[in-house]
Amino acid sequence: MDIREPLTELHSTLLFQRLAELDTAYADRATSFLEAVAPILASTAGHFPYYTRHDAHHGFRLLRRVEQVIVPECLDGEGPTAFSAAEIYLIVLAAYAHDLGMTVFPREADKLLAQLRIPQSSGWETDPCLQLYLRREHSKRGGLYVYENSGNLRMPVNLVDALDKIMRAHNLSIGELEAQIPQSYAAEEKLIDVRQLAIIICVADALEFSDTRVVDGVLAAIESDPSPEARKSYLENMKHVCVGDGLAIDTDGRIIVSGTFDEEEVLALAHLTFDQMEGWIRGYSDLDRQMKSPRLRIRAEPFVRNLAFVDGRFERLGVRLNKRNVIELIASSAVWRESGPVIRELLQNAVEACRYRRHHSSPADSYQPHVIVTFDRERREIVVMDNGCGMSERVVLNNLLTVGSSRSAEPGYASSNYAPIARFGVGFWSVFTLAETACVETASFEACRGDPTGATEAPGIAFDVSLSELKEYTVFRPVTRPCGTIIRLKLRPNIVVDDAFTNARAEILCSDVPVTLRIDDDEVSIPLALPDVPHEALLGSRHRVLEEHGLQLFGWHGALGKTELSLLLAYRMENGKPTFLCDRTNSVMNALGGIRYSRSTICGFAAPIRVRHICFDLGRVGTYYANRGTPDGVAYSLDRHQLIENASSEEYSKEITSLIHDGYRAFLGATNGRDLATVAALRQQAAMHGGSVHDEFTGGELSVAAKSFPDLTPFKLYPLSGGEPIYAQADQLGSLRGKVLFMQETPSVKLTDGRIASLDNEGEAGIPYAREILSPRFLGTTEPIYVMQPDRSASMLFDADPDSTVLYLPAGQFGHACIQLVQFERIDASQPGNILAQVGGRWAGAIYLRDFEAPADKPYAFLGRHRVLIRRSSKLAIHFQDLAQSGRYARLADFVADLREDQAGYPPASVVTLLSGTLT
């Protein structure tokens, strides 16, 4: 098809001819508009030379598509479906102007380039920063240009906003279009449904395939450009070349597309494009069907595709799913092991609906959100009711009943600084682990904005879903009800209503949307903000321990960034100082009855998260509640049992850690415990009874402590020569000189009767033994020599010294004691470990390369369960380095496990030759 002069093309369209019949003034205005914008549109190619056509001819082709997608009555007749002159005028202008902002306007270059900080040198027209800006902002820019130049464009001012809305529509998701574009405008003393006109333009733009869409010379220019961007443009252009004008609409409204392809990537892209188009057409058609007078004649069903591949058989195998099996899997106990997360999904959806409606409501709506979940023992029902945003028929079909399609994925749903809680689009189907049938009533609030009275009696739909009778259709019954949703679950016979209530209650800690849980006549109101940790969370039923052991409780509440936290600690006061001891050998953990687990939530809903680098063993002496007030960026596992690690979860974890330390500092200040001796003692006391695991690689713990909470991580150092210990904060270690030694391996000996005798070197009890063993070796040494308790703090120092080592010194009846040695001058917290590898498998832990001498000349030394030292100059070290460099970490783990066997006296053949001596 030839490309003709823009005005000639416009005047040949049925739309313009009908416009001229109805109103010559509007027709003249449309002609003037096109005369003004056609040169501007032509300049788009200067900024996007590899793009398909976005000039006036594209607007003409779009008008031709409009004529094909609408019912004939739009252009022929006087009925309610017929277009008015103003409506045709808006369609014509939008067809040409919807991409108007994709170029730099006349006399705009200097100001725009300065704004974007782009030098006005050769090639600025295709600067990537400029291209990104024009693509991102073009729908807003076009409307603003029309407004500022409405006089020159002969554009009636009263229609500028309506045109702007239609122009922006093609850049909006279905949900954004529905939410942001109002229906009612007026012109010629008649109503204009701007949303419907926008839908028509969007459908026509989506279907605009033609044999002139590719600009002459583009493919030749792309061939000489090896960049990924050029390759992408090549595929997009070739998609249009191969289809050309092979997209048509038959008399029944079905869309038929045909084409011939000789490159598989191009054909795959074409199929993907048509998949997306089918979704758009379905959504636009759903909205059009809700209009008072539907105007689209196309059918919302899969395209008829006749796409030929000339070089073989192209089969879109992809992933084939058995719908029933997938739904049954999603709704099975394989995913949802308890009833709590299932009710949580519905409750979370209800809270989400209220959050969304509140976000998009104005004061005139007088909106007061609420959610009520009722557990009915007698009727064996669970009913979740909210007065949130509700759902249209389109949302129900495309999201609620479409597996894996979450409304939260729509760009418009998460826009305007709004972050949705919902994620996967499978939560609704989880209810069938509990229910035989789900009965749903819902009414969308969109049409009732600004009309509080209308929101109480809105048009809605009702429908039922049953997994046992999974039908290929859904029957929607009209209902009149308040905006919002109610879901009634008819429970399975094996479901215990009370258990479902208890499990659901454990899933929510707080909610900024009022939530009420009811079970018969009992009612629980969920707190609107993070509550203080109740005493029961720490004490359970053991309230008497406060009096029995003289315990006190310290509570604290604080906020940082997006996180709020409440903290509760149990302690005693002794000699005017706080202590975590009940007596000399028991910490408060024993009085409390074990470790207490904390609760972390997102928007009040349970979201277990791994919190790192806390300066003391909090769970042994206290607990906390934490809540992140926004779900922005958060990713969950499918069953919501875990947060997936990403930047947002890392931020949440760091904020929790900082708040715990702020609360701990407040505790120390309130109890006269800020001195380093007390802080060090509390740290050791909190780690009693199994804490302070020291036989694993500590990584960057020392660096974090030195930067973030040095005052809460003091190191207690005992001079070897005797006397009182000294204390150093984590950020003061660099000022120390000399050596520090500690005995983390427990010396032991096998007695004649088979029993094992061990040296008690834990805690302060081991300091005298360490001094006794070390004194002969370091007698007369002039540099400072210190001894430490064999705890995790000592391991942090060992890992921060790249040449830390071990000494084997005589220990009387125990033979030799393994003593770890660190040189303060070598400590570098920013480069922790200097380890060969961390591995997992038959053995899991860290492998260190160090210089040392061990009894029986063994080239390895185990430091607990998860650390092993390999002598640098040994055959074993060379072999281990080769395995690490080739990434064979599983093999490394196997070799270390074999070394364990050798240590036990059963040397495997795999290590015998590697243990035979030192390389020369």
Side-chain angles (χ1 to χ4, degrees), residues 334-634:
V335 176
W336 313 94
R337 293 184 292 274
E338 299 175 352
S339 60
V342 175
I343 303 303
R344 172 229 179 103
E345 287 298 311
L346 291 186
L347 177 55
Q348 194 162 266
N349 287 347
V351 170
E352 169 68 17
C354 291
R355 291 177 70 242
Y356 183 77
R357 181 176 176 182
R358 180 176 61 190
H359 183 80
H360 291 281
S361 293
S362 69
D365 291 302
S366 302
Y367 177 57
Q368 298 294 326
H370 65 266
V371 176
I372 299 174
V373 185
T374 302
F375 297 78
D376 193 318
R377 294 186 180 102
E378 182 177 352
R379 295 183 177 180
R380 294 194 49 74
E381 290 182 345
I382 298 176
V383 182
V384 181
M385 186 278 293
D386 69 76
N387 69 337
C389 62
M391 294 175 285
S392 65
E393 183 178 317
R394 179 190 67 81
V395 172
V396 170
L397 289 173
N398 292 347
N399 300 125
L400 186 73
L401 298 182
T402 299
V403 175
S405 177
S406 173
R407 191 179 184 186
S408 66
E410 295 182 1
Y413 194 80
S415 66
S416 305
N417 300 317
Y418 178 78
I421 304 174
R423 285 293 185 271
F424 301 111
V426 300
F428 171 73
W429 296 99
S430 68
V431 304
F432 293 107
T433 60
L434 306 180
E436 295 178 332
T437 303
C439 305
V440 183
E441 286 189 14
T442 185
S444 175
F445 88 110
E446 302 286 356
C448 301
R449 293 187 182 186
D451 181 11
T453 302
T456 62
E457 295 185 354
I461 52 176
F463 59 95
D464 299 340
V465 182
S466 174
L467 195 60
S468 60
E469 298 181 33
L470 195 59
K471 301 171 183 176
E472 295 297 327
Y473 59 87
T474 301
V475 175
F476 294 108
R477 299 180 303 279
V479 295
T480 299
R481 55 159 288 114
C483 294
T485 301
I486 182 169
I487 298 179
R488 189 180 304 275
L489 304 182
K490 305 290 187 180
L491 298 180
R492 294 175 178 271
N494 62 319
I495 300 301
V496 179
V497 175
D498 288 71
D499 289 348
F501 172 82
T502 300
N503 292 337
R505 177 65 186 89
E507 291 288 330
I508 183 169
L509 180 61
C510 58
S511 172
D512 66 346
V513 170
V515 173
T516 301
L517 305 181
R518 295 173 177 167
I519 182 163
D520 291 347
D521 295 330
D522 296 328
E523 188 170 286
V524 175
S525 294
I526 303 300
L528 293 174
L530 182 75
D532 292 332
V533 179
H535 292 183
E536 290 75 13
L538 186 60
L539 302 174
S541 61
R542 298 189 175 199
H543 287 265
R544 290 205 318 271
V545 301
L546 298 178
E547 182 179 345
E548 290 172 352
H549 296 279
L551 297 183
Q552 300 182 47
L553 299 180
F554 175 84
W556 181 85
H557 204 117
L560 173 65
K562 303 171 184 176
T563 300
E564 190 176 2
L565 182 137
S566 57
L567 177 71
L568 188 65
L569 298 175
Y571 69 101
R572 289 177 57 249
M573 293 298 294
E574 189 173 277
N575 299 324
K577 295 289 183 180
T579 178
F580 289 140
L581 293 178
C582 288
D583 55 49
R584 180 177 172 275
T585 59
N586 290 286
S587 78
V588 299
M589 186 187 83
N590 283 353
L592 298 175
I595 295 174
R596 290 294 181 263
Y597 295 98
S598 303
R599 297 182 67 179
S600 55
T601 60
I602 303 291
C603 295
F605 290 95
I609 187 171
R610 182 181 178 186
V611 179
R612 303 177 179 89
H613 305 308
I614 298 178
C615 70
F616 68 111
D617 284 76
L618 171 58
R620 298 170 183 274
V621 296
T623 189
Y624 69 84
Y625 287 173
N627 182 55
R628 179 181 170 93
T630 173
D632 188 22
V634 170

Side-chain angles (χ1 to χ4, degrees), residues 174 206-207 209 239 243 247 255 257 266-284 299-305 307 314-319 398 402 405:
I174 305 294
L207 298 179
F209 274 75
K239 173 186 69 178
V243 174
L247 189 149
I255 298 172
V257 60
V266 178
L267 178 52
L269 177 61
H271 275 298
L272 179 61
T273 300
F274 296 136
D275 290 344
Q276 294 172 333
M277 289 168 59
E278 287 173 355
W280 297 334
I281 299 302
R282 183 172 60 247
Y284 294 137
R299 288 165 57 171
E301 60 183 39
F303 296 0
V304 178
R305 305 186 196 187
L307 306 181
F314 185 95
E315 181 67 39
R316 290 194 82 200
L317 289 176
V319 178
N398 292 347
T402 299
S405 177

Side-chain angles (χ1 to χ4, degrees), residues 129-272:
C129 181
L130 175 63
Q131 290 178 329
L132 177 63
Y133 173 78
L134 294 177
R135 286 200 309 268
R136 186 182 66 235
E137 302 294 332
H138 78 273
S139 63
K140 298 178 183 177
R141 285 169 43 79
L144 183 60
Y145 180 83
V146 171
Y147 172 73
E148 293 175 343
N149 297 273
S150 58
N152 294 333
L153 298 172
R154 297 187 62 199
M155 175 77 190
V157 175
N158 65 307
L159 292 180
V160 169
D161 185 61
L163 177 61
D164 178 54
K165 293 292 192 298
I166 300 172
M167 289 168 59
R168 292 181 186 228
H170 78 293
N171 244 35
L172 303 178
S173 69
I174 305 294
E176 283 178 308
L177 190 155
E178 185 178 20
Q180 296 182 19
I181 300 184
Q183 293 178 264
S184 297
Y185 279 76
E188 302 175 297
E189 299 181 350
K190 297 179 181 178
L191 292 178
I192 299 175
D193 192 329
V194 171
R195 184 185 298 172
Q196 190 174 45
L197 299 184
I199 290 167
I200 292 170
I201 287 290
C202 288
V203 170
D205 191 38
L207 298 179
E208 209 286 271
F209 274 75
S210 66
D211 57 0
T212 56
R213 190 71 197 270
V214 177
V215 179
D216 292 340
V218 167
L219 292 175
I222 290 175
E223 285 181 359
S224 61
D225 187 342
S227 68
E229 293 77 14
R231 177 61 180 173
K232 182 179 179 181
S233 294
Y234 171 79
L235 295 176
E236 287 287 348
N237 278 279
M238 283 304 300
K239 173 186 69 178
H240 284 278
V241 168
C242 294
V243 174
D245 60 1
L247 189 149
I249 303 167
D250 71 8
T251 56
D252 292 326
R254 290 177 301 183
I255 298 172
I256 301 170
V257 60
S258 61
T260 304
F261 299 78
D262 59 7
E263 294 181 74
E264 58 190 67
E265 285 184 88
V266 178
L267 178 52
L269 177 61
H271 275 298
L272 179 61

